[in-house]
Amino acid sequence: MPNTTFDRPDLSAFTRLDDLGLEVTGQRIEPDHAVLACRIVGEDRWCRRCGCQGEARDTVVRRLAHEPYGWRPTILHVSVRRYRCPECAHVWRQDMSQAADPRAKLSRAAVRWALTGLVVHHLTVARIAQALGVSWNTANTAVLAEGERALINDPTRCEGVRVIGVDEHVWRHTPYGDKYVTVILDLTPIRDRSGPSRLLDMVSGRSKKVFKTWLASQPDTWRERIEIVAMDGFTGFKSAAAEELPGARAVMDPFHVVHLAGNALDECRRRIQQELHHRRGRATDPLYKARRMLHTRSCLLTARQQHQILDLFSSDEHVALEVTWSVYQNIIDAYRSSNARGGKTLMHEEITRLTSTGMPSALTELTTLGRTLKRRAADILAYFDHPHTSNDPTEAINARPRTPTRLRPRTCETSPTTSLERSSKPADSNPNYTPNYQEPIKRRTSSLRVCPSSPAASSSSRTKDSGRRVPTGY
């Protein structure tokens, strides 16, 4: 580059110590760390009590950990002059508040580097402490204080929030102390498709009182602007939101609705396993081998898996499992409907069927699921009126403390928010099959929903020989 100009080498500018009001006067390179001798730029001779000019008394060295350079910890030895007033005998030191807080062991640049490493680069506190050459407690205390000052106490961080999400997280796996923490997120960028979600706060405990206290501590103008509160099935969050945010709409996100249906499917499978074998499932049991396939969306099943599901549902003993599996698939299909109004209709019809008087008493898991969905029916159906208000970002943030070092997450095949581009058959994403709950539980032909373009749908000889019916509308 012909127009490039170079300045003289300046170690103070290179290490960004000039921003802290320090000047490097010497260096010492050790095998495991580097030491920079510094002095404070500027004099501080005037007495803070009487205003007289003081006299230099002596010099003390203050040691600070600085942001690392050259893959080794950087230690600052700052020479601080002490002055004495000849009039009032007051003794003081040079002001170095620009470089570090009083009695702090880390420079301000080191604290900012540690906070950036923890929040942006997802470094652990142990790795930050190792890079700075300090103990874990020292690094953790400094990061918490700086995070509270720069992030939590920022008065503008809650501006523009109209959609919030709340969920609990288990952060302590010991029998001592409160193991739950309530996580509150700003989902407005997700709803507006303008960016990622933002973490607003994490409060110790999981109860109505905890969430209500946090909402009550916010300004009245902020609470009046909240339009939607996305949450799970915990009634404490709903009650707190109804009392503190009367103008907000509670929305139960798809993640937890599908999770409830998946739990009912697992409970039904375990109950049938116990009734048939009087023990837990083993690797050779058909029910145990199908536990993952049952949670996979029907359009994403391979040809081999489709035949395995057909064989499983052909038994009279597994009819209850087939009906529960159909409900699980119907709930997912309602969320994956391309039309919000059509999906809302499908979900409403499914809840109505689950709570009808014609539900067989043997389907205990579906009866319990129907009561739960009916109790929160308004919140479940509100999702279709307010799209993109899912609580999935809250679950994603909850997963970070569990696995600090994790691989790139794989999109769950059974998630209702899985895009059509991720599906193996995007054209087959509109179901038209609903189970008949009115018929008695007896031997009948299995009704597995299979993609018409899949190999299982084309193998008509196998389905005819076995007497099974495969509908062609899905």
Side-chain angles (χ1 to χ4, degrees):
M1 300 176 63
N3 297 326
T4 302
T5 58
F6 294 91
D7 294 334
R8 64 178 181 84
D10 189 352
L11 189 57
S12 301
F14 177 77
T15 55
R16 293 189 289 189
L17 290 175
D18 52 348
D19 298 336
L20 305 181
L22 302 178
E23 181 182 2
V24 179
T25 59
Q27 68 177 18
R28 185 175 75 251
I29 305 299
E30 300 290 345
D32 56 345
H33 67 279
V35 181
L36 298 180
C38 308
R39 68 177 185 87
I40 302 175
V41 178
E43 297 287 342
D44 190 13
R45 288 181 174 272
W46 303 100
C47 179
R48 297 180 177 86
R49 288 184 178 178
C50 62
C52 295
Q53 184 175 2
E55 300 175 350
R57 182 178 179 181
D58 56 8
T59 301
V60 295
V61 177
R62 182 178 178 182
R63 294 169 176 81
L64 296 173
H66 193 52
E67 55 181 318
Y69 290 95
W71 298 96
R72 58 166 61 93
T74 303
I75 310 299
L76 304 180
H77 285 189
V78 184
S79 299
V80 184
R81 280 190 176 185
R82 292 201 301 177
Y83 296 93
R84 182 180 182 278
C85 179
E87 298 294 334
C88 62
H90 176 60
V91 178
W92 69 94
R93 296 185 181 187
Q94 282 182 292
D95 182 19
M96 59 175 303
S97 59
Q98 185 179 355
D101 289 331
R103 306 182 66 86
K105 297 182 179 180
L106 274 69
S107 66
R108 297 193 183 275
V111 174
R112 289 194 298 268
W113 178 88
L115 183 62
T116 303
L118 183 69
V119 176
V120 179
H121 303 294
H122 309 298
L123 298 179
T124 61
V125 178
R127 180 65 184 87
I128 292 174
Q130 181 184 8
L132 294 176
V134 297
S135 65
W136 187 93
N137 290 329
T138 300
N140 185 64
T141 302
V143 169
L144 289 179
E146 180 66 12
E148 183 176 358
R149 183 194 66 82
L151 302 178
I152 299 178
N153 295 336
D154 184 8
T156 63
R157 70 185 181 92
C158 291
E159 294 182 358
V161 179
R162 299 187 304 275
V163 182
I164 62 174
V166 57
D167 196 10
E168 76 280 351
H169 170 62
V170 180
W171 69 280
R172 176 182 289 159
H173 300 274
T174 61
Y176 308 102
D178 196 348
K179 62 180 181 179
Y180 285 101
V181 63
T182 301
V183 183
I184 301 100
L185 261 69
D186 175 22
L187 303 180
T188 307
I190 300 294
R191 199 271 303 270
D192 298 340
R193 295 299 183 94
S194 60
S197 59
R198 298 187 303 120
L199 178 63
L200 294 179
D201 206 345
M202 299 182 72
V203 188
S204 179
R206 171 189 178 258
S207 63
K208 170 187 174 181
K209 181 180 178 180
V210 170
F211 188 41
K212 183 178 179 179
T213 303
W214 185 88
L215 291 175
S217 64
Q218 305 304 316
D220 295 338
T221 56
W222 182 87
R223 286 183 290 173
E224 293 174 356
R225 290 195 300 264
I226 301 300
E227 302 172 2
I228 300 173
V229 182
M231 62 185 70
D232 57 4
F234 181 48
T235 57
F237 293 154
K238 178 177 174 58
S239 301
E243 295 177 6
E244 297 296 332
L245 305 173
R249 187 71 178 90
V251 176
M252 189 170 176
D253 67 293
F255 175 85
H256 292 94
V257 177
V258 175
H259 184 64
L260 289 174
N263 287 342
L265 183 61
D266 288 336
E267 291 297 331
C268 181
R269 178 182 57 82
R270 296 189 187 101
R271 176 176 61 82
I272 296 176
Q273 174 73 29
Q274 289 289 341
E275 292 176 355
L276 295 179
H277 306 284
H278 305 285
R279 56 173 173 78
R280 298 178 60 182
R282 296 177 181 174
T284 57
D285 296 335
L287 289 172
Y288 185 80
K289 289 192 295 185
R291 68 191 187 281
R292 297 186 184 275
M293 290 187 295
L294 293 173
H295 282 270
T296 303
R297 196 178 177 192
S298 57
C299 277
L300 303 178
L301 290 171
T302 63
R304 180 180 178 182
Q305 291 174 336
Q306 291 171 1
H307 291 308
Q308 291 177 355
I309 293 289
L310 283 172
D311 295 337
L312 183 67
F313 290 162
S314 62
S315 174
D316 293 340
E317 300 165 339
H318 301 158
V319 175
L321 180 64
E322 179 185 1
V323 178
T324 309
W325 176 82
S326 299
V327 173
Y328 176 78
Q329 296 293 334
N330 288 341
I331 291 178
I332 294 179
D333 294 334
Y335 284 118
R336 289 303 308 140
S337 177
S338 58
N339 185 4
R341 181 176 298 179
K344 183 177 181 179
T345 302
L346 292 175
M347 181 62 70
H348 179 70
E349 293 175 353
E350 194 66 32
I351 296 176
T352 303
R353 281 191 294 268
L354 288 174
T355 56
S356 64
T357 57
M359 173 69 64
S361 59
L363 301 176
T364 56
E365 294 79 15
L366 291 184
T367 302
T368 304
L369 176 64
R371 287 197 301 263
T372 304
L373 297 184
K374 183 179 180 180
R375 187 169 58 249
R376 301 296 298 271
D379 302 337
I380 295 173
L381 298 177
Y383 172 80
F384 299 95
D385 299 328
H386 305 280
H388 311 302
T389 55
S390 173
N391 218 22
D392 290 346
T394 311
E395 296 295 333
I397 287 185
N398 290 347
R400 286 186 179 180
R402 299 188 186 108
T403 52
T405 305
R406 56 190 293 118
L407 300 176
R408 183 177 180 178
R410 179 176 62 88
T411 305
C412 181
E413 296 175 345
T414 60
S415 173
T417 57
T418 304
S419 60
L420 294 180
E421 291 78 5
R422 296 276 185 175
S423 302
S424 58
K425 301 295 180 182
D428 303 325
S429 299
N430 295 322
N432 59 4
Y433 170 79
T434 54
N436 184 10
Y437 300 123
Q438 305 297 334
E439 60 181 344
I441 299 181
K442 62 181 181 179
R443 182 175 180 82
R444 58 185 175 87
T445 57
S446 298
S447 307
L448 176 64
R449 296 187 264 174
V450 184
C451 301
S453 58
S454 64
S458 60
S459 58
S460 58
S461 60
R462 177 165 183 175
T463 56
K464 290 180 180 179
D465 295 340
S466 57
R468 309 189 190 109
R469 175 177 60 86
V470 181
T472 60
Y474 190 74

